[in-house]
Amino acid sequence: RICDPAAGSGHMLTYAFDLLYAIYEEEGYDATEIPALILAHNLTGVEIDDRAGALGAFALAMKAAAKLGRRRFLRMEAKPDICVLSDVAFTDAEMQDVATVVGRDLFTEELRETMGQFEQAKNFGSLIVPKLRDPAEALRVVEARDFAGDLLLKDVQARVMAVLRMAEALSPKYHVVVANPPYMGASGMNPKLKSWIEKQYPAGKSDLMTAFILACQGLSKPKGTSAIVS
């Protein structure tokens, strides 16, 4: 599993696609299955810019199309896993609805804290470390709930799922984390970002790039690898 937490338009991920394709070939996989396997299981990108995220997804899709041909590509169900972060907030009153959507048994303090971590997602980006340890399980439960008859709960459900998908992308599960991170000295940061980084990444607070070095180490599995263009 490979992640680029500052994916941009996908340069790192498309290179990784070619490398993974060669690995799958060496292991004897059917060439018609490899692109879908890579997109479904091996590559994740995280980005704060909507347009860049769309370009990254398009670049990976074109990689798959080039390997499969147009007809097979159009039948392929797997899609590029590019998570574009978005600001999601809940009022105190809505938190009661979140508990209903998630289920009281799963509405832990960790999940409550995670629901509040993405109010500044476009600002803090991939530096956010989700409090919830297994967002994938919570996401499965929330997706399975049916609130079709209640528009209010359906809206809350959609926002809860958005947070859980972002949290899942930023969970420490990757064997390799590679990035060309953003560069910005502390003097160029907006007040909220500067204050937040000082608290969350005191050793890397001088620049976004140094904070990303620490964040990328945190995103990888124990004994995983992180590589930063610094």
Side-chain angles (χ1 to χ4, degrees):
R1 296 183 71 109
I2 299 171
C3 178
D4 182 348
S9 54
H11 292 95
M12 298 280 195
L13 294 173
T14 52
Y15 185 89
F17 183 99
D18 290 336
L19 183 58
L20 286 161
Y21 193 94
I23 292 170
Y24 271 102
E25 279 190 318
E26 287 180 3
E27 293 297 320
Y29 281 79
D30 187 327
T32 62
E33 297 177 356
I34 295 174
L37 289 169
I38 292 173
L39 296 185
H41 301 294
N42 299 112
L43 294 178
T44 297
V46 185
E47 177 56 45
I48 60 171
D49 184 87
D50 297 59
R51 180 178 293 183
L55 287 171
F58 179 75
L60 283 177
M62 289 302 97
K63 279 287 183 183
K67 295 293 187 182
L68 288 174
R70 184 171 178 273
R71 287 186 179 179
R72 279 202 179 98
F73 170 71
L74 291 174
R75 291 197 301 268
M76 186 180 73
E77 293 184 5
K79 299 289 184 268
D81 182 15
I82 306 293
C83 179
V84 179
L85 301 179
S86 58
D87 297 340
V88 181
F90 300 92
T91 65
D92 290 341
E94 285 175 331
M95 274 296 182
Q96 300 302 315
D97 294 326
V98 171
T100 301
V101 166
V102 174
R104 298 287 173 179
D105 54 330
L106 281 179
F107 192 62
T108 62
E109 187 57 33
E110 280 187 348
L111 191 140
R112 178 188 283 274
E113 287 188 51
T114 302
M115 289 298 110
Q117 284 187 287
F118 291 87
E119 293 183 7
Q120 292 274 319
K122 290 285 191 190
N123 195 14
F124 303 157
S126 297
L127 298 177
I128 296 169
V129 180
K131 295 290 185 182
L132 190 62
R133 296 188 180 184
D134 189 9
E137 176 58 27
L139 180 59
R140 280 192 290 273
V141 172
V142 173
E143 279 183 316
R145 297 194 185 277
D146 183 11
F147 296 104
D150 191 322
L151 293 178
L152 178 61
L153 287 180
K154 195 166 179 62
D155 172 66
V156 172
Q157 180 188 32
R159 284 188 284 150
V160 170
M161 286 167 55
V163 167
L164 291 173
R165 286 191 180 109
M166 292 187 286
E168 211 271 329
L170 293 175
S171 294
K173 61 183 180 181
Y174 303 102
H175 302 97
V176 178
V177 183
V178 59
N180 181 8
Y183 303 86
M184 180 187 290
S187 62
M189 298 177 190
N190 63 63
K192 285 187 177 179
L193 178 60
K194 186 174 186 295
S195 173
W196 185 81
I197 284 183
E198 285 175 353
K199 292 176 183 176
Q200 303 297 325
Y201 296 94
K205 66 183 180 181
S206 62
D207 196 284
L208 273 181
M209 181 264 298
T210 47
F212 258 83
I213 290 174
L214 298 172
C216 289
Q217 291 171 346
L219 278 169
S220 61
K221 284 175 170 284
K223 299 185 180 179
T225 302
S226 61
I228 313 296
V229 179
S230 59

